[in-house]
Amino acid sequence: MIFGASGLLGKDLMREWTSDEIVGLGSRDADLRNANKIREVVDKARPEWIVLAAAYTNVDDCESHPDLAFAVNRDGPVNVAHAAKQIGASLLFLSSDYVFDGKKSSPYETGHERNPQSVYGRSKAEAELRLLEVLPDCCIARTSWLFGIGGNCFPDTILKLAATRPALDVVNDQRGCPTYSVDLARAIMALCRNHASGIVHTTNSGDCSWFEFAREIVTGAGLATEVRPVSSQQMARPAPRPAYSVLSAKSLERYGIAMPTWQDALKRYLAERKG
Ligand SMILES: NC(=O)c1ccc[n+]([C@@H]2O[C@H](COP(=O)([O-])OP(=O)(O)OC[C@H]3O[C@@H](n4cnc5c(N)ncnc54)[C@H](OP(=O)(O)O)[C@@H]3O)[C@@H](O)[C@H]2O)c1
């Protein structure tokens, strides 16, 4: 059972996961905040695994709507965990690199202390802790900088802007791991098949700044738009972002899973986008 089936990741999970019987739900099918409804849909389908990819993902809007952020991103997952526990289903919850403060300069391991700086990050960090209380064996798959065909994402924005502007300013002082939703969907399937539990860092391999990512997107699409590096201060946004949120692949390697590089993933995304 996939919660968030209408989202960026959810669409690829629905497309890729053809080997098993899948039930996909969007917010109109079952709102995470409605504990009774969640229990009802889980009870009816009695899934072996629940993948919880539903969330309030607009990081900047979360700053001005903290109640909604905590209701959907923390309390909602707790409702799902209780429903899963009742029927003995396994749970894989999608979390984020934004649970970290970004003050490190080497990849974050799964056990590193959480210290979220934004409302979104706090809602995810608190969800992780609550889920581990309700279902100690659940799997928490932290990912980052998600891109794909099924929704708004950074490469899509860059390509739309690059088509109409001669130059783009992009921040060069935040580093992370871009992750293609198709590769993430495949890694999630592999984690479920491996009966994964605990925290797993699940991103494409390699890292870059948003500026480096944008430059590769523009070049890969064959555009001549100039991409200029700027600082986060010059591009202030409501929610603070970690300066460095590269996630170590060690936890994923424990399951024998290796994700492709983000450059390879970007090439496949650009080809898929071109159709
Ligand atoms: N995007 C990123 O860069 C990123 C980075 C790190 C982690 N993540 C995590 O990865 C997961 C997938 O992200 P995504 O980018 O695929 O998300 P997305 O495209 O924003 O999709 C969000 C999904 O959640 C559903 N949803 C929203 N509010 C809901 C509610 N109250 N009840 C039930 N469902 C609700 C939406 O359903 P409707 O469309 O039907 O409303 C949609 O299917 C999320 O847990 C996210 O926090 C994302």
Side-chain angles (χ1 to χ4, degrees):
M1 171 171 268
I2 295 163
F3 286 96
S6 49
L8 181 59
L9 171 62
K11 282 184 194 149
D12 279 324
L13 277 168
M14 295 300 291
R15 226 170 21 176
E16 293 289 321
W17 211 325
T18 51
S19 52
D20 296 287
E21 195 184 327
I22 303 292
V23 179
L25 303 166
S27 64
R28 264 168 294 175
D29 306 306
D31 193 306
L32 295 188
R33 294 168 292 176
N34 184 339
N36 290 337
K37 184 69 184 175
I38 295 298
R39 219 174 18 242
E40 183 191 312
V41 293
V42 168
D43 224 30
K44 188 167 167 223
R46 302 195 78 78
E48 199 178 327
W49 269 93
I50 297 175
V51 175
L52 181 40
Y56 179 29
T57 57
N58 189 320
V59 175
D60 287 324
D61 280 1
C62 283
E63 292 297 309
S64 45
H65 299 91
D67 291 349
L68 182 60
F70 284 104
V72 175
N73 292 348
R74 178 194 61 199
D75 304 342
V78 172
N79 291 336
V80 176
H82 282 298
K85 190 173 184 175
Q86 214 163 29
I87 63 151
S90 302
L91 176 68
L92 183 147
F93 170 66
L94 267 301
S95 189
S96 166
D97 55 329
Y98 286 11
V99 300
F100 296 123
D101 59 21
K103 292 186 180 144
K104 256 166 77 75
S105 53
S106 60
Y108 280 93
E109 300 298 341
T110 52
H112 196 273
E113 189 193 351
R114 300 169 185 86
N115 189 21
Q117 302 295 300
S118 61
V119 169
Y120 171 81
R122 284 212 321 272
S123 69
K124 286 290 194 181
E126 289 184 22
E128 289 187 358
L129 292 168
R130 299 278 294 277
L131 291 191
L132 288 168
E133 278 169 25
V134 180
L135 281 178
D137 287 336
C138 74
C139 180
I140 293 173
R142 289 187 186 136
T143 192
S144 63
W145 295 25
L146 204 55
F147 66 96
I149 290 296
N152 295 330
C153 65
F154 181 77
D156 186 56
T157 306
I158 290 294
L159 289 171
K160 284 180 180 149
L161 292 173
T164 57
R165 293 188 193 173
L168 298 177
D169 292 340
V170 184
V171 297
N172 197 27
D173 54 6
Q174 291 168 25
R175 250 189 130 67
C177 306
T179 302
Y180 187 25
S181 49
V182 172
D183 292 342
L184 180 58
R186 289 175 184 160
I188 288 170
M189 288 161 56
L191 286 171
C192 293
R193 288 204 186 100
N194 277 293
H195 307 284
S197 78
I199 301 172
V200 186
H201 285 171
T202 319
T203 68
N204 276 121
S205 61
D207 59 80
C208 60
S209 71
W210 291 113
F211 160 73
E212 290 162 352
F213 191 22
R215 203 173 44 184
E216 191 90 1
I217 293 162
V218 168
T219 314
L223 298 169
T225 316
E226 185 192 355
V227 183
R228 298 182 298 223
V230 294
S231 71
S232 306
Q233 259 183 341
Q234 288 170 274
M235 305 280 274
R237 295 172 78 178
R241 266 82 173 164
Y244 181 93
S245 61
V246 176
L247 303 181
S248 160
K250 276 189 201 148
S251 52
L252 198 58
E253 286 161 5
R254 272 209 318 265
Y255 292 100
I257 303 168
M259 288 180 69
T261 63
W262 66 264
Q263 291 94 334
D264 175 81
L266 178 62
K267 281 196 190 103
R268 285 177 285 123
Y269 163 81
L270 290 172
E272 190 187 0
R273 194 175 183 273
K274 234 172 159 182

